[in-house]
Amino acid sequence: MKCFLLLSLLYPQTTFANGFTGAQVLAWQPAAQETLFQDSISMIAIVAGQTGAHGHIARCIGDWYAEGAAGKTARHAQIRDALRRFPNNHSQAIILAVVQKRCGKF
């Protein structure tokens, strides 16, 4: 699992993104973007909680992402900014990088 996460962050996945590059996600409607962000962050938290060694990351994600509507708006703005900076990379890897920057690496 760690190897997969590491590779997804280090290897630019432009050829494998198939509709999930940062630029393509930014072209979606804001509500669709936010659904992707929320689902992705929820799954990252679930994986962190299930590894047996990353419970602190799962707790951090819960605290960080669930800071109310204003907090969630700010988090989504951070993700959109990262998507703009790395438009050719896979959006899931970018979202994971934003989460790991805040809550630590797997």
Side-chain angles (χ1 to χ4, degrees):
M1 179 64 160
K2 289 180 185 180
C3 184
F4 173 75
L5 292 173
L6 180 63
L7 286 174
S8 70
L9 288 174
L10 296 177
Y11 183 77
Q13 300 173 7
T14 55
T15 51
F16 300 110
N18 294 330
F20 276 89
T21 64
Q24 290 168 314
V25 171
L26 288 171
W28 296 359
Q29 294 295 317
Q33 293 173 9
E34 291 171 7
T35 298
L36 174 69
F37 302 161
Q38 184 168 335
D39 291 350
S40 297
I41 292 169
S42 295
M43 291 308 299
I44 294 167
I46 289 169
V47 169
Q50 295 298 313
T51 63
H54 300 97
H56 62 288
I57 294 174
R59 286 186 296 280
C60 175
I61 293 169
D63 293 343
W64 170 73
Y65 192 66
E67 290 181 355
K72 196 170 281 191
T73 299
R75 304 306 162 246
H76 291 176
Q78 290 175 324
I79 294 168
R80 285 185 180 101
D81 182 54
L83 291 170
R84 282 185 204 96
R85 286 182 303 181
F86 303 99
N88 296 322
N89 290 75
H90 198 290
S91 61
Q92 298 287 334
I94 295 168
I95 294 167
L96 177 61
V98 170
V99 170
Q100 286 189 335
K101 183 176 180 181
R102 174 64 178 92
C103 292
K105 297 187 182 215
F106 281 82

